[in-house]
Amino acid sequence: MKIDLKELGKRIKLTRKGQDLTQEMLAEKAGVSQHYIYEIEAGRKAMSIHSFASLTSALDVSADYLLFGDGQRIFDVDTPAHHNNQLMEIAAELNPSQRDHVLEILEVMVPYIKN
């Protein structure tokens, strides 16, 4: 089975942005360079198993999710991974001001949904 580096990079980028991390912040957490993160997210660079493990740990995601889009976030097992992915994809397309508005709406609506 061949790994699609562009899709892998896209999932890493979406996960990083969903956690409000810059490439530099992720690089520091994973113990790699910012340029390395840039190359991975662009789908231009393959990772060693060590670097891949460092990234999954730094992002708190499962290897299955990053490699194939399957699985769940390690510490968010009650939410299906595809829902997390959908939310991150939507948020990634918004500018910071738009994300703030969406967050405000969610903060108002979530208590009503929980009841």
Side-chain angles (χ1 to χ4, degrees):
M1 171 176 279
K2 186 175 179 183
I3 303 299
D4 185 333
L5 295 180
K6 289 207 180 279
E7 285 299 311
L8 172 62
K10 180 181 175 183
R11 282 189 287 276
I12 289 170
K13 184 176 184 175
L14 287 172
T15 304
R16 174 182 62 77
K17 286 187 171 199
Q19 296 179 22
D20 290 325
L21 294 173
T22 64
Q23 287 181 340
E24 186 176 358
M25 292 163 67
L26 176 57
E28 185 175 321
K29 283 180 77 173
V32 298
S33 73
Q34 181 272 327
H35 184 73
Y36 188 67
I37 297 296
Y38 168 79
E39 292 286 327
I40 290 167
E41 287 183 354
R44 296 183 192 145
K45 191 132 186 122
M47 292 175 273
S48 70
I49 191 71
H50 177 75
S51 295
F52 180 72
S54 294
L55 274 176
T56 60
S57 178
L59 291 170
D60 293 330
V61 293
S62 69
D64 282 348
Y65 170 70
L66 288 183
L67 290 172
F68 310 112
D70 298 331
Q72 299 173 331
R73 291 180 50 85
I74 292 172
F75 296 110
D76 195 11
V77 295
D78 293 330
T79 304
H82 69 276
H83 289 166
N84 288 340
N85 193 31
Q86 287 173 325
L87 290 170
M88 286 188 289
E89 286 176 0
I90 291 167
E93 293 180 15
L94 301 175
N95 66 42
S97 176
Q98 292 168 326
R99 282 195 298 266
D100 288 344
H101 289 301
V102 169
L103 184 57
E104 289 170 8
I105 292 166
L106 288 173
E107 287 173 343
V108 169
M109 293 184 71
V110 167
Y112 293 103
I113 295 169
K114 285 185 175 180
N115 291 332

